[in-house]
Amino acid sequence: MDMIFGSVTTVFVMLGIIYLVFSIYIVHEQEAAVIEQFGKFHRIASPGLHFKIPIIHQIKERVNLRIQQLDVKVETKTSDDVFLHTTVSVQYYVIPSRVYFAFYRLQNPKSQITSFVFDVVRAKVPKIELNHVFEKKDEIAKTVEGELTGMMSQFGYGIVKTLVTDIEPARIVKESMNEITAAQRLRVAATEKGEAERILKVKSAQAEAESKALQGQGIANQRTAIINGLRDSIDEFSKNIPGATPADVMNLVLITQYFDTLKDIGANNKSSVILIPHSPANITDIKDQLRDAMITAHQIDRKVA
């Protein structure tokens, strides 16, 4: 009898331990457990230690209350008939007070969110041109977020943020856009280069004009100085030598300069050979030519002044 009693006691103890093991369950932080009783909803267990009746109660589902992210890639077209892929990132979570609705009313939340994103993006983007899609991506994201918040709240889901993370046109469209941008930049560069060359040419022309003006002024001043010097020499020579006429003095000066020039040519080893008439009979002709040239230059200087 003692042995039978001891065996029965052991069996009850083991059954008690098994019962206790299957009765205790733990719900972790940021988690909620859906408890059913004979297949019917019983309660929502919050984080902590809990007890249940084995066989009668069972944990149907452990619902994650953390914020989750779903990336939805939508293919659509713009108002100018350009097809592109838009990636929309949706951050969502289960509202703790509406776990029941999140679990029982919506079987596949990711599929439902994807459908709503497709619907909103394909209704919004076709109204916008391609160049403006990139500028209005925040507006698109806010529209998607507003629609999702209103629709998903009735299913127990909250929307934290919706972002348009990528807009990718077809490869050929991107290449065309890059070519257009490159052409615009080349056109601007060519315009700037042309303007720079124009400024350089204008400045160069102005500098050349000023140089010519200064050069002409220098020649005019030089000729005026020569004429003044000759006039002073003739006056001085006439005063010191009685009976000498200005023509005699002019002839002497010209002949002196003529022979000084020949002397300079002969003294310079690098001078080229110059053949000019220098016989006594031709001196008068040289004198007349030099005199006429100087008189003509003097008259031109007076007209310019």
Side-chain angles (χ1 to χ4, degrees):
M1 291 294 296
D2 292 338
M3 292 181 61
I4 294 173
F5 180 78
S7 299
V8 172
T9 302
T10 301
V11 171
F12 277 105
V13 170
M14 292 180 64
L15 290 174
I17 294 174
I18 294 173
Y19 178 84
L20 185 62
V21 170
F22 282 95
S23 298
I24 297 175
Y25 67 95
I26 297 175
V27 179
H28 299 285
E29 192 67 34
Q30 291 298 314
E31 186 181 72
V34 179
I35 309 299
E36 290 184 348
Q37 179 177 303
F38 294 120
K40 182 180 179 181
F41 174 75
H42 178 58
R43 66 189 180 92
I44 302 295
S46 58
L49 179 65
H50 298 273
F51 295 90
K52 63 182 179 65
I53 302 174
I55 301 175
I56 297 176
H57 297 152
Q58 68 176 40
I59 301 175
K60 185 64 177 178
E61 186 71 30
R62 292 179 181 269
V63 180
N64 185 6
L65 300 180
R66 294 186 181 92
I67 296 176
Q68 303 178 64
Q69 179 168 308
L70 176 63
D71 295 329
V72 182
K73 193 171 185 179
V74 185
E75 183 181 9
T76 183
K77 72 170 185 175
T78 60
S79 62
D80 46 353
D81 296 328
V82 177
F83 283 87
L84 51 81
H85 288 88
T86 304
T87 302
V88 180
S89 297
V90 181
Q91 297 176 346
Y92 67 98
Y93 67 99
V94 176
I95 301 174
S97 60
R98 299 179 64 85
V99 175
Y100 173 85
F101 297 97
F103 179 71
Y104 286 102
R105 296 192 61 182
L106 199 60
Q107 182 177 2
N108 192 337
K110 292 184 178 181
S111 177
Q112 191 70 29
I113 292 174
T114 300
S115 299
F116 280 123
V117 172
F118 266 79
D119 182 65
V120 175
V121 172
R122 287 181 173 175
K124 182 72 175 177
V125 174
K127 299 178 182 178
I128 308 173
E129 294 183 357
L130 176 62
N131 293 334
H132 297 158
V133 171
F134 295 91
E135 300 174 1
K136 296 185 177 182
K137 67 183 187 66
D138 291 338
E139 180 180 334
I140 297 172
K142 289 181 180 179
T143 302
V144 174
E145 182 178 338
E147 292 288 338
L148 284 177
T149 300
M151 296 300 297
M152 296 302 294
S153 61
Q154 60 182 321
F155 299 114
Y157 285 87
I159 305 299
V160 178
K161 191 71 175 178
T162 301
L163 300 172
V164 177
T165 57
D166 189 23
I167 299 174
E168 184 179 1
R171 181 179 59 84
I172 188 172
V173 176
K174 291 194 293 184
E175 291 177 354
S176 300
M177 293 175 67
N178 291 335
E179 289 178 359
I180 292 173
T181 302
Q184 291 175 346
R185 293 184 181 276
L186 288 175
R187 184 164 60 250
V188 172
T191 302
E192 294 295 333
K193 183 178 179 181
E195 183 65 17
E197 291 179 352
R198 186 189 69 81
I199 294 174
L200 289 176
K201 289 180 179 180
V202 170
K203 293 296 183 182
S204 177
Q206 291 176 349
E208 184 176 358
E210 293 177 359
S211 175
K212 293 294 184 181
L214 292 175
Q215 183 178 2
Q217 185 66 33
I219 294 174
N221 293 337
Q222 180 184 11
R223 288 173 178 174
T224 301
I226 292 174
I227 291 172
N228 293 332
L230 289 173
R231 184 180 62 249
D232 295 340
S233 298
I234 292 172
D235 293 340
E236 188 69 23
F237 193 87
S238 299
K239 293 178 182 179
N240 294 330
I241 301 177
T245 64
D248 296 335
V249 178
M250 190 67 183
N251 291 335
L252 179 61
V253 172
L254 292 176
I255 295 301
T256 302
Q257 290 183 345
Y258 172 73
F259 283 108
D260 288 340
T261 302
L262 292 178
K263 180 179 178 181
D264 292 337
I265 293 173
N268 191 352
N269 295 328
K270 295 182 180 181
S271 298
S272 300
V273 177
I274 300 177
L275 299 176
I276 58 175
H278 58 278
S279 63
N282 293 321
I283 294 300
T284 303
D285 293 336
I286 296 174
K287 176 199 67 176
D288 294 338
Q289 293 176 10
L290 293 176
R291 185 187 68 245
D292 294 341
M294 294 186 68
I295 293 173
T296 302
H298 182 63
Q299 291 177 352
I300 293 174
D301 291 339
R302 293 181 62 186
K303 290 181 179 180
V304 173

